[in-house]
Each structure stands twice: as structure tokens, then as C-alpha cells.
Amino acid sequence: MLDFLAENNLCGQAILRIVSCGNAIIAELLRLSEFIPAVFRLKDRADQQKYGDIIFDFSYFKGPELWESKLEAKPELQDLDEEFRENNTEIVTRFYLAFQSVHKYIVDLNRYLDDLNEGVYIQQTLETVLLNEDGKQLLCEALYLYGVMLLVIDQKIEGEIRERMLVSYYRYSAARSSADSNMDDICKLLRSTGYSSQPGAKRPPSYPDSYFQRVPINETFISMVIGRLRSDDIYNQVSAYPLPEHRSTALANQAAMLYVILYFEPSILHTHQAKMREIVDKYFPDNWVISIYMGITVNLADAWEPYKAAKTALNNTLDLSNVREQASRYATVSERAHAQAQQFLKEGCLREDLVLDNIPRLLNCLRDCNVTIRWLMLHTADSACDPNNKRLRQIKDQILTDSRYNPKILFQLLLDTAQFEFILKEMFKQMLSEKQAKWEHYKKEGSERMTELADVFSGVKPLTRVEKNENLQAWFREISKQILSLNYDDSTAAGRKTVQLIQALEEVQEFHQLESNLQVCQFLADTRKFLHQMIRTINIKEEVLITMQIVGDLSFAWQLIDSFTSIMQESIRVNPSMVTKLRATFLKLASALDLPLLRINQANSPDLLSVSQYYSGELVSYVRKVLQIIPESMFTSLLKIIKLQTHDIIEVPTRLDKDKLRDYAQLGPRYEVAKLTHAISIFTEGILMMKTTLVGIIKVDPKQLLEDGIRKELVKRVAFALHRGLIFNPRAKPSELMPKLKELGATMDGFHRSFEYIQDYVNIYGLKIWQEEVSRIINYNVEQECNNFLRTKIQDWQSMYQSTHIPIPKFTPVDESVTFIGRLCREILRITDPKMTCHIDQLNTWYDMKTHQEVTSSRLFSEIQNTLGTFGLNGLDRLLCFMIVKELQNFLSMFQKIILRDRTVQDTLKTLMNAISPLKSIVANSNKIYFSAIAKTQKIWTAYLEAIMKVGQMQILRQQIANELNYSCRFDSKHLAAALENLNKYGN
């Protein structure tokens, strides 16, 4: 029969493409759930007041004309609506396409089932596909993935948000009017279910079964899939877990599929007691917390609470005596398996001969470790236990007590298991690659030994006290030929024949009384040893690696692993070399990527790269998060070093009296600096020990990881210093501006000096990193501040300055400004307000008009240059440009409303123009003409004067910034020229 997954099998390829697409859709939904625009949540009052009238849920569809007419009645709402459309259409369209793909997925699956029933695929029906091993797996996966999509959507993108996005897409997109648009069907499928993922939220009635039945699916298909999952081991996993107590773990993936698919036929959960009892006895006799897809956990005690048959069937498992028995058993297994793993991990224990002789024992140890980790991690997870549910809390407390649960011990078990697994896998990969070469080598050595013995008994080669024996000579030559005739490709026959040859060599030694000759005995022993090695080598099978891959699956911990982050970081902080062991754990976690990528790869789908990048990126982000403790610890030590260097250690003068040498030695503080510097070097060494590692499809270079971590910590601390250092009290007199700038300048100088100090100890380019990151922080904050003046905002994910790996933190605004650069700019504008101050151009200084005291001068911009550098001055200049444009726009708007629409003002200005023409001549009766014109246009002059004063003030400030930038450039050029001159003078 034709292979079901063969490229020319249309039936197999069609369902494979559907399943591949399902995995890609789930990855896209998970990716998008991290980019939900905050405005769609309407969480805070400010958003509700601003956007409440333009963001609608499905109530909009009851009377769209009414809502649109309300918008059209208010021009300011129309402007806001247009701005909102420009800023959010792209991301809303991306969400809509993801929602559409979910609907298309189930439509495609239903069409495939119809095609099967109608005989479109020759010789294939639903029954025959379910009889095929691959077909059975794919049909079960197809339905299961649709259920997972629905659950992921409801967990990650709440119902209200979905409705608002769909309505926004409907209003802003031209696609709604197209004939092939299935907007109605998508809205019916994804309307709000009332479910909330917030802790303590009540579960809606008939959830999720009513949600799963929004699109009808062939009932016979659902029933047959459930039947297969109930009765078969569809993935043949039990062979990897031969022990009966591991059966529920072997069938864990199938159990997760069955859990999801049962919601498509809720009558089984409600009334079919016998079926539910059978399901629980087979899949959940010793476990009730399961992972349904990439670490999304479910507690059956809570999930099956509303279903009578399911709840009754699960009661035996949840009986406290059974809970106690399981917890105690895993406590015992954990101690035994951990001790075994640690024994195997001892230096020199895992040798090739020991591994080949003890494969079953090693695999059993691995199974025990992994099964224990799985059970304990799932059943002690906080996410799987609702703290408001008394029964769940009681069960969890029972587990914690009886299993003697200690997260640090469990983490150590995970660490040792991952290391043990990693070493074994690497050994087996190497042995498999060298298998044939070694086998041929042993064969050649054994054959040569027999030939040499034949020569000895021929009498040609003299050997002490060995008489010529033609029979033995012929026999050994025959054995040599027999060894040479062994065929590597026919391993079964070769193995059987090798055993017979070993027996023959043992017998010849006994019957011919060859024991008396030690040299002959040695030859025979060596040959037997080589033949034994051949048997060992031929038994190295790839199946062992496959079993290790199945047993070592850690996809259930994709999210749970985060609960161990603090333990990992603490262990790294205490012992930086721990990073090498963590590498094995991260690689073990990377094996979880096989689950979503298998079908995508089999289908040769173009989605392979994007899905691989998403999951690999998530894992690399987690690795960065864990290892961020190293840069954090380094910076903590750095701050202590800077404090010691700045405040405690006195700089040694060039000339020094001998008797004062002891005072300047300061051995205590200098020893402390040396100790802290050594600690920094140790942290660096720790991360660099990790080696370059391929995590999924992303190569992780430890040197780059260290540099990125240092950059991230620098960005976090500098951004916080800038945010905290530039908060001003508008009522303070005199202004806090200069003192705060000086204080911030000292902080920034401390960071700069610390980077200069650290760069040689951690082998990085400190000055380059400093310049790049400080410029990025300032430019990003300027960009965010300028967003206030733009109709089309630059979102974080669009910004060229924001980064996923080295994010610039955002802080809650403390006034009308969004960032520190806005606060700085507005404080400068406040203290140089033209109503209160005047600018003396010759002195380049601002004076208070009442007290005639100096308010500020060019020293202000020199201080900003020292604190924020050229980037800060450029950023201020750019922000002032935006403010000037805004003022001019406001003035033009006022001009159009007041002047261009007021006939009297226009006539007055025309009369004035005629009276003063021609412009070169002297105006007669000038007082009368001007006063008359001013009196009639009185209402425009206040706004005009205010606009002119503000624009003038900002232009003067821009001029001062330009002067400071020019001076800075000239100063830098002068120093550069002097340096070049010295280089030319003394370079030779």
C-alpha cells in the first residue's frame, strides 16, 4: 500500500498540510498575544474617556448607522478616529488575519472530511485513514489543534478585546465589502465567551463545550477519533516506557489530546460514566494536572468539576489516600533516581564500555528521573491550583507534605538529569558515527591474531615450547577467514556467528590443552575480547537515542520552568560555573520545539522558519533572562568599586614624601577594590564557559550574551537615573534645573568611569557600548516625546531604537511630558518664559524682568552637553522644532477660524492695506489709521503675540543649542588636531 505521507498521496498530504497549518496558527496567536495594543484593553480611566466613543464591541453591529452618525456629529471625534485608524490598522489587520486563519482551518478540515465521505480520494474513507498509523495520528491532531487554538485565543486574547479588534477592522478595512469576506462567520466563532483568565474569575456556564460547538463538525468523525484515542497507543510510546508505573507518562500526549477533544462531545463528560471511568483508569490513575500544549497546564479536578460523569470517575484518583500514596512514591523514586544519576555523573564513570554494558540500567535511571520531574513539576505548580478552591488547595498541601517537596532539590534533579542525558546523547552520537569503523577495526585485529596463531603452529614462527600442529594451523586459518567473512550490513547473522566463534575459541583452548602456553592463551583471549567488542558495537542502535529523546521531553515545562528562574539565578550568583550545567537544561528545554515543528517540517511548509524563530526566540529570551543575574551582579560590584574610588581612595600625587607613603597606600580599600574586580572577572569567566550553543535555530554565543546582558543592565540603570534625575518641581524658586543637571552629570560620569574600568576585565569595548546605548536611550525618549505631536505614532515595535533583547524601559509619566527629555525641555521653557524674562543677545543670557537677576545662560547648555552629550542637545533641538510647528499650526488654525471667516476683520485689513499703500511712502494720519485698525482687530492680537513670543523664545533656545554644539565640535576638533600633531611628532 502507498505510504500515507508520500508526496504523491493526495489524501495524506491534504491532512498533513491542515495539521501543519494548525501548529503555525497557534504560534502566530501566541506571538500576537504579546503585542495587543493597550488602548483595546480600555483599562484606565484616561483611555476610557479618550477612546471610549470610537472603540466598540459587538453591540456596534446592532445599529452601526447610529454609532457612525454620533461620530460624524463631532469633528474632534472624527479626528481622533482617523488618528486611531492610522496608528492601529496594521496591527489590527494582523490580528484579523490570525482570526480568519482559525476559521479557515476548521472550514478546511470540514471540507476534507466531506471529501473523504464523498470518495474524492480514491480507495480512502474515514475508516481506512483511521486504520493507517500516520492517518490516525493526523486526524486526531487536526481536531485537537483546533480545540487548542480556541483555548489559546480565549486565554491570551480576552473576548472583549477580540470584539473591539474585529469591529475596528470592520470599520477601517475596505475588505468588509468584498463578496468573499467571511466576517460574519469569524465574528460568530470568536465572539466573547465571558471567560476571563484573571485569577479568581468565575467560569461561564457550559464553557468551553458551547464555544467548541460554534462551528459544527462531523459527529461520526469526533466519535471515531475519541474511540481511537481511548483504545489505541497511537504514537507507540509505551515501548519507550516498558514499566507499568510509567504508563500514564507514556500516554501523556495522547491524554492531553483526549482532554481537549472530549469538549467536542460533552455528553461523554456529563453522562457516560463507563467511558469516563475507562479513560481515567487508563490515562489519569495517578495524575490530574496535565500539559495540553507547550506548557499550558490544566487541573482536571477544576476543569471537570461541572461534568458529573467525569467528576465521579476522577474521584478515585483524587482520593486523599491515593494522593498520599502517589506523593510518597515519587518522593522515594526521586531520592533513589537522583542518587543514581549523581553516581553516573561522577568523573570517569560514564566510560564507553560501561555505557554499552548497561544501556537498560542507564535508560531506566533516565526514565525514573524524567517521570519524577514531570509529576512533581506539574502537581506542585501554582498555575494549576486555584487558591480560592478549598479542595484543590487541600490536595496541593497534601502533595507538598508527602512528597517532601523542595523546589531547590527538584531543580537540582532537573539539572543533573539534563547533564546526564546530554552526556549520554553525545556519547551515543559519537559511537554511532564511529560504529562501522570500530567494528571493522576489531574484525581486522581478531582475524590478524588468528592468522598469527596459525603461523605459530605451522612451525615457521618460533614461539617458546610450541610444537608444529598442522590441524590447529588449518583450524586457526579457517577461524581467521570466518572472522573476515563477517558482514556489517547483516548485523543479525554477524552477531549469531560471532557468538559461535567465541564459543569455538573457548572450546579449542580446553580440548587441545593450550592453557599451559600463556602466549597462546593471551592471543586467544585478545581475539575473544575483539569479538565481544564487535557484538557490543553492532548493538549500538539509533533506537536508544530515539528512546532518550522521547523520555527526555520537557515540553510540559515550557511555561512552568519560569518558576525556577530565581533558584537558577541564585545558584549562578553563588557559583558562576553553574552556567555549564544550565546549558544542558536549556538544550533539554529546546527539545520541546520538536512538538510544534514536526508536522510543519514533514509538510515542507514555508511556515517552518517563522515558527522555529518564534519558539527559539522565546527560549533564547528565557536564557537571557536567567543569565541576566551575571551583569546585575557585576554592576552591583561595580557601584561599590566606583564608590571606593570616588570617596575612599585618595589619588596618589606625582611627588610624595616618604613618610606619607603609608597614608596613601590605603591597603584596606585597595584590597576591597581588587576583591570586587576579581568577582567581576569570575562572573565573566562563568558565562564564557557556556560555549556557543544552538538553541532551536538560533546560535547563542556566550560572549555576545554577556555583552547584551551588560548593555541591558546599563540601559536599565541609565534610563532610571535619567527618569529619576530629571523630575522638577514647577513651584521651586530658584529652579532645580542646574542642581539636578549637576547631580545627574555626576551619576552619568560614575557610569562612564565604571565602564572604562570594567572593559579590560570582561573583554568588551566599554566606550563603544556606552556611546551606542546612551544615544539609543536619548533618541528613543525623544522619539516617544515627539509622538505627542504626530498623528501617526511610532509604536515600540516599529521604533529603530527599541530592542527586544535590550529593551529601553518605559516609565509612567509624572506630568504632561511622556519622558525625561520632555520634562527637561518644558522646564527650560518655564524658566525662560518671555512674559517673565528677557534675553540679552550680546551676553547670551536670560534675566528676570522684575528682579533683573540672571535666570540662566549658555552654561545651562554646557551642563546639558556634559550630562546628556551631543545626543541630548540634538534631541532637545528636535523637540523644540516639533513644538514650534505645533505653535504655528495652532496659530494658523486660529487665523482660519477668526480672520478668514470674519468679514469685518477682513474688510478692516483691506482698508488698512489700501491706506498704507504704496509701502515706500510715508503714511498720512498714521496714528488715526493704525489705532483704528488695532481697535477693530483687537481679538487677534493676544493670540498672535503669544504665538510670536513662544516661537521666538524657542528659536533663541535653538540658537543657543547650535552655539553649544558648534563650540563642542570646535573644541573636539582642536583636541583631535593636537593629538594628531603629537602623534606625528613622537610617533617615530
Side-chain angles (χ1 to χ4, degrees):
M1 188 181 171
L2 188 66
D3 179 16
F4 191 74
L5 295 182
E7 284 189 21
N8 57 349
N9 188 329
L10 298 178
C11 180
Q13 286 297 308
I15 189 66
L16 180 59
R17 277 195 300 274
I18 289 171
V19 171
S20 158
C21 187
N23 283 297
I25 290 168
I26 293 170
E28 175 69 354
L29 290 169
L30 291 169
R31 184 191 289 116
L32 284 176
S33 67
E34 296 164 18
F35 293 95
I36 298 171
V39 289
F40 283 103
R41 298 185 189 278
L42 292 181
K43 268 191 175 176
D44 51 62
R45 185 167 290 181
D47 279 350
Q48 288 167 11
Q49 288 174 346
K50 186 175 180 181
Y51 297 106
D53 293 330
I54 62 166
I55 298 177
F56 310 101
D57 56 20
F58 279 3
S59 59
Y60 171 87
F61 291 125
K62 292 176 182 173
E65 296 83 7
L66 175 67
W67 293 108
E68 294 297 340
S69 61
K70 281 185 180 178
L71 279 177
E72 286 165 12
K74 296 180 180 176
E76 65 274 13
L77 272 184
Q78 279 184 300
D79 279 354
L80 182 64
D81 192 42
E82 185 60 27
E83 181 187 311
F84 185 79
R85 184 185 70 78
E86 287 175 13
N87 285 310
N88 293 287
T89 298
E90 188 182 343
I91 190 75
V92 165
T93 304
R94 181 92 180 259
F95 271 94
Y96 175 76
L97 291 173
F99 296 154
Q100 186 185 44
S101 62
V102 174
H103 181 262
K104 184 178 181 300
Y105 176 88
I106 190 57
V107 169
D108 287 349
L109 179 59
N110 278 333
R111 189 180 298 122
Y112 175 79
L113 295 171
D114 291 342
D115 289 348
L116 269 179
N117 290 333
E118 290 164 14
V120 170
Y121 302 107
I122 297 165
Q123 293 185 333
Q124 293 285 16
T125 62
L126 185 59
E127 291 78 8
T128 59
V129 173
L130 281 169
L131 283 172
N132 181 284
E133 192 172 300
D134 290 318
K136 176 168 56 179
Q137 291 173 8
L138 288 167
L139 281 177
C140 293
E141 284 172 32
L143 186 58
Y144 155 70
L145 288 174
Y146 173 58
V148 171
M149 280 177 221
L150 297 180
L151 292 174
V152 165
I153 285 176
D154 231 18
Q155 270 193 19
K156 302 287 183 181
I157 311 165
E158 288 197 3
E160 287 183 344
I161 295 169
R162 292 200 301 273
E163 291 192 358
R164 289 167 189 156
M165 283 184 164
L166 285 165
V167 171
S168 294
Y169 178 80
Y170 176 80
R171 290 183 60 236
Y172 299 141
S173 170
R176 65 179 181 178
S177 58
S178 64
D180 60 343
S181 170
N182 51 3
M183 186 81 188
D184 288 352
D185 296 330
I186 295 166
C187 290
K188 281 175 191 169
L189 173 61
L190 295 178
R191 70 179 186 271
S192 176
T193 59
Y195 171 82
S196 172
S197 55
Q198 299 302 319
K202 266 195 158 185
R203 178 174 173 172
S206 301
Y207 179 86
D209 31 301
S210 59
Y211 177 35
F212 276 45
Q213 285 158 11
R214 287 179 178 179
V215 176
I217 303 170
N218 186 316
E219 288 180 12
T220 308
F221 165 64
I222 294 171
S223 178
M224 289 179 79
V225 162
I226 290 174
R228 284 288 168 215
L229 287 169
R230 275 172 51 207
S231 61
D232 299 359
D233 172 16
I234 64 170
Y235 292 105
N236 302 316
Q237 297 276 288
V238 173
S239 59
Y241 291 92
L243 292 177
E245 56 264 35
H246 295 164
R247 191 177 71 162
S248 60
T249 306
L251 299 172
N253 287 344
Q254 199 168 318
M257 291 168 75
L258 189 55
Y259 163 79
V260 173
I261 289 171
L262 280 171
Y263 286 123
F264 289 104
E265 198 171 325
S267 61
I268 294 176
L269 292 165
H270 280 295
T271 56
H272 294 207
Q273 298 221 0
K275 286 182 183 176
M276 284 312 303
R277 183 63 193 266
E278 178 200 346
I279 288 167
V280 169
D281 286 349
K282 183 173 180 179
Y283 294 103
F284 311 113
D286 55 4
N287 69 102
W288 52 94
V289 180
I290 60 170
S291 165
I292 58 169
Y293 189 88
M294 293 304 280
I296 299 169
T297 50
V298 170
N299 192 324
L300 297 181
D302 183 35
W304 284 352
E305 180 66 29
Y307 305 100
K308 187 181 176 186
K311 184 181 174 184
T312 308
L314 199 64
N315 278 341
N316 283 347
T317 304
L318 294 174
D319 185 70
L320 285 181
S321 61
N322 185 50
V323 173
R324 189 179 296 115
E325 182 190 331
Q326 299 304 330
S328 305
R329 179 164 73 85
Y330 280 107
T332 310
V333 173
S334 170
E335 287 173 13
R336 187 188 74 237
H338 196 182
Q340 262 188 321
Q342 286 177 324
Q343 185 65 35
F344 286 131
L345 281 172
K346 282 183 180 172
E347 191 70 40
C349 184
L350 286 176
R351 299 184 314 277
E352 189 175 313
D353 53 340
L354 183 136
V355 168
L356 291 174
D357 287 341
N358 293 281
I359 290 173
R361 188 168 156 231
L362 294 169
L363 287 179
N364 280 336
C365 178
L366 270 183
R367 287 187 191 103
D368 283 340
C369 289
N370 279 291
V371 168
T372 304
I373 290 166
R374 183 188 186 95
W375 196 91
L376 287 173
M377 277 183 86
L378 286 171
H379 290 81
T380 57
D382 291 333
S383 57
C385 178
D386 180 2
N388 301 317
N389 187 318
K390 187 181 174 184
R391 189 187 183 198
L392 295 188
R393 214 168 53 240
Q394 189 181 0
I395 290 170
K396 188 180 173 185
D397 291 344
Q398 184 83 49
I399 292 168
L400 294 176
T401 307
D402 291 326
S403 66
R404 303 189 287 282
Y405 178 73
N406 182 335
K408 289 184 179 176
I409 293 173
L410 180 57
F411 168 66
Q412 194 60 48
L413 173 61
L414 173 63
L415 215 60
D416 289 336
T417 305
Q419 187 74 0
F420 178 35
E421 214 169 271
F422 176 72
I423 293 169
L424 262 187
K425 276 184 184 174
E426 290 302 304
M427 284 183 76
F428 261 93
K429 282 176 188 171
Q430 190 177 349
M431 286 192 283
L432 276 169
S433 67
E434 297 170 353
K435 178 179 173 181
Q436 186 166 0
K438 282 192 172 182
W439 194 82
E440 295 291 351
H441 168 71
Y442 294 141
K443 183 172 89 168
K444 184 182 168 209
E445 287 288 331
S447 174
E448 284 175 359
R449 291 286 195 285
M450 289 294 95
T451 307
E452 284 176 31
L453 263 183
D455 290 344
V456 166
F457 283 102
S458 68
V460 178
K461 278 194 180 181
L463 199 65
T464 316
R465 292 188 218 141
V466 172
E467 296 175 7
K468 183 176 178 180
N469 186 330
E470 288 181 2
N471 289 337
L472 282 176
Q473 176 194 351
W475 192 84
F476 282 125
R477 282 202 194 283
E478 182 59 30
I479 291 289
S480 174
K481 285 178 190 172
Q482 291 291 336
I483 292 172
L484 276 177
S485 70
L486 293 171
N487 185 3
Y488 173 81
D489 295 324
D490 189 0
S491 59
T492 310
R496 200 178 298 120
K497 199 169 181 183
T498 308
V499 171
Q500 290 170 354
L501 288 169
I502 292 169
Q503 286 174 343
L505 289 174
E506 284 171 352
E507 286 168 4
V508 79
Q509 189 171 326
E510 290 172 23
F511 297 154
H512 291 269
Q513 286 134 16
L514 300 176
E515 290 97 333
S516 57
N517 192 313
L518 289 176
Q519 288 157 313
V520 172
C521 283
Q522 187 60 46
F523 267 73
L524 289 168
D526 286 350
T527 309
R528 285 200 302 273
K529 183 180 135 194
F530 287 127
L531 290 169
H532 273 296
Q533 286 292 77
M534 285 169 72
I535 292 172
R536 275 180 178 163
T537 308
I538 207 89
N539 283 335
I540 300 170
K541 299 269 192 334
E542 202 172 351
E543 284 82 349
V544 178
L545 268 180
I546 294 166
T547 301
M548 276 197 269
Q549 189 71 15
I550 293 168
V551 169
D553 174 44
L554 201 64
S555 59
F556 67 89
W558 188 255
Q559 293 176 14
L560 294 179
I561 196 77
D562 201 25
S563 59
F564 291 90
T565 304
S566 56
I567 299 171
M568 291 184 196
Q569 291 185 329
E570 182 58 28
S571 59
I572 292 171
R573 199 177 59 74
V574 173
N575 177 16
S577 64
M578 178 65 76
V579 171
T580 51
K581 275 194 173 182
L582 278 173
R583 176 174 177 252
T585 309
F586 296 143
L587 286 170
K588 184 175 170 66
L589 199 56
S591 66
L593 271 62
D594 297 343
L595 177 70
L597 293 177
L598 174 66
R599 299 304 185 189
I600 297 175
N601 196 16
Q602 284 178 336
N604 293 321
S605 168
D607 296 323
L608 181 64
L609 185 62
S610 69
V611 177
S612 302
Q613 279 179 333
Y614 169 67
Y615 287 116
S616 302
E618 289 290 294
L619 187 50
V620 170
S621 297
Y622 181 68
V623 173
R624 288 175 187 276
K625 180 181 173 182
V626 171
L627 299 183
Q628 192 58 28
I629 189 67
I630 289 181
E632 279 178 21
S633 305
M634 286 164 68
F635 267 81
T636 306
S637 300
L638 256 182
L639 292 177
K640 291 177 185 173
I641 290 171
I642 296 307
K643 187 169 177 290
L644 285 164
Q645 286 184 332
T646 312
H647 299 104
D648 297 8
I649 296 175
I650 308 161
E651 200 170 327
V652 181
T654 47
R655 290 176 64 84
L656 182 65
D657 292 338
K658 188 171 66 175
D659 54 344
K660 290 185 179 176
L661 194 60
R662 186 181 292 277
D663 300 335
Y664 282 100
Q666 293 184 286
L667 298 176
R670 289 185 193 279
Y671 169 72
E672 195 62 32
V673 167
K675 195 166 87 172
L676 291 166
T677 307
H678 176 255
I680 289 172
S681 302
I682 292 294
F683 279 121
T684 308
E685 194 179 12
I687 199 168
L688 294 178
M689 284 167 73
M690 195 171 116
K691 298 182 191 170
T692 301
T693 308
L694 194 68
V695 177
I697 62 164
I698 299 174
K699 190 178 278 188
V700 176
D701 177 12
K703 191 173 188 304
Q704 189 60 47
L705 213 59
L706 174 65
E707 187 181 306
D708 288 353
I710 289 170
R711 283 176 184 264
K712 185 177 177 180
E713 194 61 24
L714 173 71
V715 165
K716 189 171 88 176
R717 290 178 186 249
V718 169
F720 181 69
L722 290 169
H723 169 72
R724 191 183 58 181
L726 294 175
I727 296 175
F728 306 100
N729 179 4
R731 295 188 183 85
K733 289 191 178 178
S735 169
E736 301 173 324
L737 183 56
M738 285 302 278
K740 291 224 169 191
L741 280 172
K742 281 188 166 63
E743 189 182 333
L744 180 61
T747 306
M748 296 292 276
D749 184 54
F751 283 128
H752 190 244
R753 285 175 62 186
S754 68
F755 248 62
E756 274 186 319
Y757 180 81
I758 194 181
Q759 61 183 359
D760 293 331
Y761 295 102
V762 294
N763 193 23
I764 57 168
Y765 299 111
L767 187 60
K768 175 175 175 275
I769 290 174
W770 172 262
Q771 294 276 8
E772 286 174 357
E773 295 308 319
V774 171
S775 71
R776 201 165 66 85
I777 293 166
I778 291 170
N779 286 326
Y780 171 74
N781 281 277
V782 171
E783 183 182 79
Q784 293 302 302
E785 196 66 49
C786 293
N787 264 350
N788 279 346
F789 303 97
L790 293 170
R791 189 185 188 94
T792 306
K793 318 281 188 210
I794 298 170
Q795 307 293 344
D796 265 16
W797 51 276
Q798 296 169 317
S799 172
M800 65 183 288
Y801 303 113
Q802 188 57 287
S803 160
T804 313
H805 300 318
I806 311 160
I808 299 167
K810 292 180 84 168
F811 301 98
T812 309
V814 293
D815 55 21
E816 61 177 312
S817 301
V818 179
T819 64
F820 71 85
I821 203 86
R823 291 196 294 274
L824 175 62
C825 188
R826 286 183 174 88
E827 180 66 11
I828 294 170
L829 289 173
R830 186 186 72 80
I831 64 171
T832 59
D833 185 352
K835 292 176 185 173
M836 312 290 291
T837 62
C838 69
H839 179 257
I840 307 299
D841 196 38
Q842 292 83 346
L843 299 172
N844 206 11
T845 305
W846 296 79
Y847 288 95
D848 190 303
M849 287 197 289
K850 286 181 184 174
T851 62
H852 299 172
Q853 294 291 315
E854 181 185 313
V855 175
T856 188
S857 67
S858 56
R859 288 198 307 278
L860 168 66
F861 296 101
S862 299
E863 198 60 51
I864 293 172
Q865 164 77 12
N866 291 337
T867 305
L868 301 180
T870 312
F871 320 112
L873 287 174
N874 277 323
L876 271 179
D877 184 58
R878 187 172 172 217
L879 187 53
L880 286 168
C881 290
F882 273 96
M883 289 178 164
I884 290 169
V885 171
K886 185 73 175 172
E887 281 301 322
L888 294 173
Q889 284 174 340
N890 289 343
F891 177 72
L892 282 173
S893 173
M894 182 276 297
F895 186 82
Q896 287 166 343
K897 285 178 185 173
I898 295 177
I899 298 168
L900 298 182
R901 294 180 186 175
D902 191 327
R903 192 80 184 165
T904 312
V905 174
Q906 285 186 39
D907 291 344
T908 305
L909 291 174
K910 278 179 186 173
T911 307
L912 176 64
M913 193 67 191
N914 292 333
I916 62 175
S917 296
L919 296 176
K920 290 181 182 177
S921 62
I922 295 170
V923 180
N925 295 326
S926 56
N927 273 1
K928 184 183 174 185
I929 289 168
Y930 285 128
F931 277 118
S932 169
I934 289 167
K936 288 177 182 177
T937 56
Q938 191 69 44
K939 59 185 174 182
I940 71 171
W941 298 118
T942 308
Y944 176 73
L945 179 65
E946 195 166 318
I948 288 293
M949 285 169 71
K950 281 184 178 177
V951 170
Q953 174 197 12
M954 288 188 272
Q955 278 295 93
I956 292 169
L957 290 171
R958 288 190 64 220
Q959 183 60 49
Q960 288 186 295
I961 289 171
N963 290 341
E964 179 58 37
L965 285 169
N966 288 336
Y967 172 76
S968 173
C969 288
R970 283 201 306 274
F971 184 76
D972 288 346
S973 302
K974 197 169 93 178
H975 275 263
L976 185 61
L980 286 169
E981 190 181 332
N982 285 334
L983 191 64
N984 291 332
K985 191 173 177 181
Y986 301 112
N988 295 329

